[in-house]
Structures are given as structure tokens and as C-alpha cells.
Amino acid sequence: MTKPLRVLLVEDNEGDVEMTEHAFRDGKPACAIYVANNGVEALQFLSKQGNCSDAPTPNLILLDLNMPRMDGKQFLDCVKSDPKLKAIPVVMFTSSQSENDIRDCYERHASCYVVKPFDGKVFVETVQQVVRFWSDLGRLPED
Amino acid sequence: MKQSQTADAGHPACSAIAAAQELRPSILIVDDRKENLLATEKVLRPLQANIFKASSGNEALSLLLRHRFAVVLLDVQMPEMDGFETAMLMQEHESMRGVPIIFVTAISKEEKYASQAAEIGAVDYIFKPINSDILKSKVKVYLDLYVQREQILKLNTTLQQSNEELERFAYICSHDMQEPVRMMNSYAGLLEEKCVGSLDEKSEKYLRFIASNAKRMQKMIQDILTFSRVGREEVKIEAVDCNEIVREVLAEFEAVIASKGAMINCADLPFIATSPTLMRVLLQNLIGNALKFQDCVKPPRIEIGARAVGDAWEFSVRDNGIGIDHKFNDRIFTIFQRLHRKEEYPGTGIGLSTCRKFVRLCGGDIQFESELGIGTNFIFTIRSNNKEAA
């Protein structure tokens, strides 16, 4: 039995946060979800600054693109240029279907790009599938 | 250097004045004799232009480098650099090349000088003593032309800017509008699922209304996005197998084709060098419309074909549907224009306008032939540089 995944969700939309948390409420797949509302908050969490001093290091990041203060691409650059953080897989989870956004994110070393499904049920299933892939099929570096 | 008007547009303090005088054209008079300069200036003063004077070819060139002129009156006989040499130097300089030159000369009325002048950019040739009415009316023609051209250029820039702004607006609007619509749809769906069995019939119906309208809104936003992307994103040209695209499009419509019992006939289509996205948008919309606009009495019949016409390919998508009244010729290609109630034939009124915008961007065009109750034939042309791109 693998240890439950620690997932950092970087998302400013309350509705999407609720739906993502809803997806893991029954513990299948088992994971701990931590939420940051934008890139700045997420970096505080990752560097254990401010009121995040006892924050765990996540082993997967789910990242939205359009956010206030620091958007997804800027945040991705920060993570991928930080030696302590760059091994954490980042899954883009956004409503943008723009070819430019997809290319940009992979060029910035995103591990995966998933478009948020329009249908609520499919949304929930998709988030579960993504996390299940990383926890069951994908191998992640040791803590 | 003598100037009757100072219009130093480079100086910030003068920029307001310069803006006001922007459409006031400038004339350059070049003559080595001061009395000639003054006499010509006097003749031209009523024309309400800025008059600049230069007493040598060199001085004229230096003014031409710093200002834009509607016309230059150039004396032929001057010491050092004569009028012809000055004109030849002007031809070598990008910014001066288009400036109309009227040569003014006292010496020769021989034909050969006039033709020499024409070769180096002269638009006219007049002889001293100058008839002031003729000079004035000739110069006025060039001033008017200059002002008209400037106005058109300015209008063109303004139009281009507002067009770009509108497209950016449409793109951003649609992009940001997708989020709330997705939320409405998602939560209506999740609520329906959560409350299954515990809601009365009316409440379930209301929830379905929310979800179905959110879906319709989503479809519109997607279509507006596609429309606004045309022209914003670079068009990539590839070797395209049109048969393959038709196969993909027909696969998307598989369910509709089966439920309506549609018969689809597709001729052998060419390989062409074009944008695969363009071909897909066109065929998706035209085949989709051919399937949609049917009377539901007889099964749809659709024929897809192509023929080479000059250096282009002409494609046709013909159906046996309800047809289009020719009085709607222009309207059907205009964005958000629908000819039917959405309950009769659903749609956003964006598809054909996207088709036309895209095909025109790629140098082709789209039109249709139709007869009410008989059917419609949509024809579009696609340019292909190498017709048989492999």
C-alpha cells in the first residue's frame, strides 16, 4: 500500500477548489489536498514561510493558469528554477485550450496539461484519474 | 535656410502645433535666386500650405530629410548641384522617392530635357516666366492629393487599431466568460446527481434548464473564440489530404448521420498545400449545416466534390435540404445572423461567418447556390501554390 499522495492545488476559483476537494472526499484515491489561491501563496507554502512553517512538501502540484497576483506560468518558472522544488511534477489543470498555452507550459517543464472538463461529473472523474495515475502508475522520487 | 512657417515636429513643445498642422501640406521651393523664391512664394501663399525655401540642391535635400513635402518646385539651373542632380539624389533615398517634383526652368524648351526630367521622377515641367495661375492650379492638385492620401492613411491606421482592439476584446471576453458558465453547468449537474430521487419534477426540470442553457452559452463562447482566433493565430500551411479531413468530420457526425439515415457521397478529393485547420472548419460547418437544415421528411443526401480551377481548387458541399432564400445572401455570412428560431434549427449563427473570414484570410472565397425546398450547394475556393502537394 503506497502512502497517500500530498497534492498542492493552486487554484483561485472557489468552485473548482470545492469540486476538487469533493473528488477526494471518499478517499478514492487516498490523498491529502492542500490549497493555495494563487502563485504567491503557493510559493509561501512550498518554502514554508509565514504561517506555512509546518507545511509538508507536496509530491504533486495541480496548477491553474489564470490567477491573480502570480499566474500559473510565472509560478511554474519559479518551481522549475528552484533546485529543491523542480523534481515535483506539475500538472496543469486549466480551462484554456489555447495551443500557445499548451506549448508554453510544456516548454516550462510542466509534466502534463489537462483541460478542465465542462461537465461537473467528468471534472471530478478527471481529477481522480490524474491523481490515481501519479499515485498508482507513476513513480515519484523518495521524500 | 529660410522658412516662412516653423513646424519643428520633433520639439515636444511644438507637437501640439504640429498635430494641428498635420494635414496642412508643405511645399518646397528650390531656386538659387532669392527674387525667384520670393516671387514663387507670393504666388503660392493663397494655397494655405507651409512654404519652405531652399537656395541650393544641398539645402533642399537637408530639408527633405527632415520634413515631408506634398510637392517640390525645383529650379533646373543652379550652381554646384543642379535640379536634375538633386532629383536623382532624391530617387536614391527611400523617404524622398515618392515626392512629386515640378521642374522650373528658364533655359531650354527642348523636348529632351523634359523627357530626362520625367525619368528622374518629375511629374511636371514648367517654364519661366511662370504663369502664376497655372503654377497655382498645378501645385494645388498635388496638395489636394497629398491631403487625401494622408487622410486615408490616418483612417486606415485608426480602423486597423479598432479592429485589433475588438478582436482582442472578443477573445478575452470569451475566455473569461467560460469560467462562470462552466461553474453553472458543473454545479447544476452535481446538484442533480446529489439530489437524485429527492427532488420533485419541477425542481429537476429547473435544474435541467440551468444546465442546458449553460451548455448553449458554452457552445456560443467556443464559437466566438474560434471566430476571433481566425486572423489572430498564424495560419500554418501543410500538405493536406482532404479525403482524410472529410473522414474525420464524418466520424464526428456519425450519430447524426445514422439517426437521420443520411447518404453521403464524397468524390476523390485532392492533396493540397493549405491550412488543415481551414479545411476542417469549412468541412465541419458545411457538412454540419447540410445535415442540420433538413425537412426531416426525406433522408439527407450530401455530395462533396472538388475541381481544379486555374491555380485554385473549388470545393462543393451540396445537399437536398430546405434551401436558403436568396434575399439572405449576405446575411448568412454575417456573425450572429440566424434565419431560423433556435428551437427549429439550433445554432449560434457564427459558423458560416467563421468560414468566410477564414477562407478569405487564406485568399479564397465562399458562396452558395440554392433553391428553396430543393437544396443548397456551398462552393468555396482554396488557393494552393503547388496544386499537387505531396
Side-chain angles (χ1 to χ4, degrees), chain B residues 36-266:
Chain B
N36 286 347
L37 285 174
L38 291 173
T40 313
E41 184 187 10
K42 194 174 167 215
V43 171
L44 299 178
R45 201 171 288 145
L47 292 177
Q48 300 291 322
N50 304 316
I51 299 176
F52 290 74
K53 289 170 290 185
S55 53
S56 71
N58 266 325
E59 205 180 303
L61 290 173
S62 111
L63 279 169
L64 276 156
L65 275 174
R66 290 165 43 222
H67 303 278
R68 298 181 59 215
F69 291 97
V71 60
V72 179
L73 289 171
L74 191 50
D75 184 22
V76 175
Q77 287 295 106
M78 290 187 292
E80 291 167 46
M81 191 194 293
D82 72 19
F84 290 155
E85 285 174 280
T86 311
M88 275 190 270
L89 284 169
M90 282 174 67
Q91 298 313 303
E92 283 169 24
H93 208 283
E94 180 77 46
S95 66
M96 305 177 190
R97 203 174 292 145
V99 183
I101 301 169
I102 300 178
F103 279 111
V104 185
T105 181
I107 48 148
S108 177
K109 298 193 181 185
E110 284 176 57
E111 191 68 14
K112 72 168 187 181
Y113 286 105
S115 66
Q116 194 187 345
E119 274 168 31
I120 50 176
V123 291
D124 214 334
Y125 202 88
I126 56 178
F127 303 100
K128 294 177 190 170
I130 293 167
N131 174 320
S132 50
D133 287 336
I134 291 181
L135 176 68
K136 213 161 68 184
S137 65
K138 283 187 172 179
V139 169
K140 189 172 184 309
V141 170
Y142 293 104
L143 296 181
D144 289 348
L145 273 175
Y146 179 85
V147 170
Q148 280 170 10
R149 204 184 66 154
E150 289 296 298
Q151 280 169 338
I152 291 170
L153 282 176
K154 213 171 145 186
L155 191 65
N156 207 20
T157 315
T158 317
L159 279 175
Q160 228 163 13
Q161 276 170 355
S162 82
N163 213 16
E164 277 168 25
E165 273 167 26
L166 265 177
E167 301 221 332
R168 210 165 21 243
F169 178 76
Y171 184 77
I172 290 169
C173 256
S174 333
H175 199 268
D176 291 353
M177 274 174 354
Q178 290 203 91
E179 288 295 309
V181 176
R182 185 169 59 79
M183 285 296 112
M184 277 156 58
N185 180 63
S186 294
Y187 279 102
L190 291 175
L191 193 58
E192 202 181 353
E193 199 187 341
K194 192 175 155 69
C195 301
V196 69
S198 62
L199 282 181
D200 59 74
E201 208 177 306
K202 268 258 161 68
S203 308
E204 274 178 16
K205 193 168 149 194
Y206 293 170
L207 266 178
R208 275 202 304 279
F209 278 167
I210 297 175
S212 71
N213 278 285
K215 284 192 182 86
R216 211 158 62 81
M217 179 90 176
Q218 158 78 354
K219 173 82 180 112
M220 284 181 75
I221 293 172
Q222 288 275 327
D223 288 355
I224 298 174
L225 262 180
T226 312
F227 181 84
S228 76
R229 269 190 199 131
V230 174
R232 279 178 60 93
E233 286 175 9
E234 199 195 336
V235 180
K236 292 193 188 88
I237 305 294
E238 291 169 25
V240 177
D241 178 1
C242 302
N243 298 296
E244 180 63 31
I245 296 197
V246 170
R247 271 195 293 277
E248 286 168 17
V249 172
L250 292 181
E252 282 172 43
F253 289 117
E254 207 183 302
V256 189
I257 292 171
S259 76
K260 293 196 172 187
M263 299 254 296
I264 294 170
N265 239 321
C266 183

Side-chain angles (χ1 to χ4, degrees), chain A residues 11 13-19 22 64 66 94-101 116-121 123-124, chain B residues 171 175-176 178-183 185-187 189-190 193-194 211 214-219 222 229 233 236:
Chain A
E11 172 65 71
N13 186 331
E14 221 183 315
D16 282 335
V17 171
E18 168 63 29
M19 251 190 293
H22 170 77
D64 185 23
N66 297 311
T94 168
S95 52
S96 167
Q97 303 190 30
S98 142
E99 278 298 321
N100 290 340
D101 281 342
K116 287 174 183 167
F118 185 65
D119 189 275
K121 219 175 134 196
F123 182 102
V124 166
Chain B
Y171 184 77
H175 199 268
D176 291 353
Q178 290 203 91
E179 288 295 309
V181 176
R182 185 169 59 79
M183 285 296 112
N185 180 63
S186 294
Y187 279 102
L190 291 175
E193 199 187 341
K194 192 175 155 69
K215 284 192 182 86
R216 211 158 62 81
M217 179 90 176
Q218 158 78 354
K219 173 82 180 112
Q222 288 275 327
R229 269 190 199 131
E233 286 175 9
K236 292 193 188 88

Side-chain angles (χ1 to χ4, degrees), chain A residues 8 29 44 54 62 74 90-92 102 112 129 142-143:
Chain A
L8 173 62
Q44 265 177 10
D54 52 356
L62 281 181
Q74 291 169 307
V90 178
V91 173
M92 305 308 300
I102 297 173
C112 185
Q129 273 176 23
E142 297 274 331
D143 288 342

